[in-house]
Structure formats: C-alpha cells, structure tokens
Amino acid sequence: MWYAIMSSDHEGSLDKRVAARPDHVARLIALRNEGRLLIAGPHPAVDSSDPGPAGFTGSLVVVEFPSLDEAQAWANEDPYIAAGVYRQVIVKPFNLVLP
C-alpha cells in the first residue's frame, strides 16, 4: 500500500534541515532504489523552487510499505526528527489514482 508522509517543520529550522539533509536523502534514495518511492520533496516557505533563507515549511513523501505501522516506524526514524527539523509528522494511507 502507498502511504503519504506529511511533515511540518519547526520555524527557523533551516540550518538543522541543511545539516541533516544528506542522511534524510540517503534514506529516500534507498527506497527509490527498491522501487518503493513515488514522490518526495519539501514545501518551500515562499513561491519559489529555491526559497533561499525563507526555507521550507515541511515535506511530502509518498512511499510503499506493507502496513501503516511499518510506514509510521520508518517515518519516526527520519533524521529530520532527530535533528529537530520536524515539529509534526502525519502518516496516512494513500490511493494512487493518476497518472
């Protein structure tokens, strides 16, 4: 089943995000290499693909796991949580309709 992992950042956490990004992205690349990653990316704080110092407000990851519990466990281990970037993470089942 697909799961949407929707995360919200703490305000002012851009430096922490930048520092933890390599470990965060490595986990996503591993899922992509397993064919289990549909999409992943951050939400810019301003209407720009490069928000500069405005930073980001959170992230969205859509990934395949055998169960909601496994998706939640994976999300709970995100380096952005350990680094204090994310203030909230919500994991929900996701039905892919299009494309």
Side-chain angles (χ1 to χ4, degrees), residues 2-92:
W2 292 104
Y3 295 92
I5 301 172
M6 302 161 289
S7 307
S8 299
D9 289 10
H10 287 283
E11 283 193 39
S13 62
L14 181 58
D15 290 341
K16 293 176 182 179
R17 179 182 268 271
V18 170
R21 187 172 191 274
D23 292 336
H24 171 80
V25 170
R27 296 175 80 230
L28 296 170
I29 289 170
L31 289 173
R32 182 199 63 195
N33 291 346
E34 295 169 8
R36 297 171 44 206
L37 181 67
L38 184 62
I39 59 170
H43 300 287
V46 295
D47 191 12
S48 172
S49 60
D50 181 6
F56 302 91
T57 61
S59 302
L60 170 65
V61 176
V62 179
V63 62
E64 189 175 33
F65 280 98
S67 71
L68 178 59
D69 287 341
E70 290 181 60
Q72 185 69 61
W74 183 88
N76 290 346
E77 295 298 320
D78 195 300
Y80 283 170
I81 292 175
V85 175
Y86 288 157
R87 68 174 174 78
Q88 181 182 34
V89 178
I90 297 170
V91 181
K92 292 183 174 185

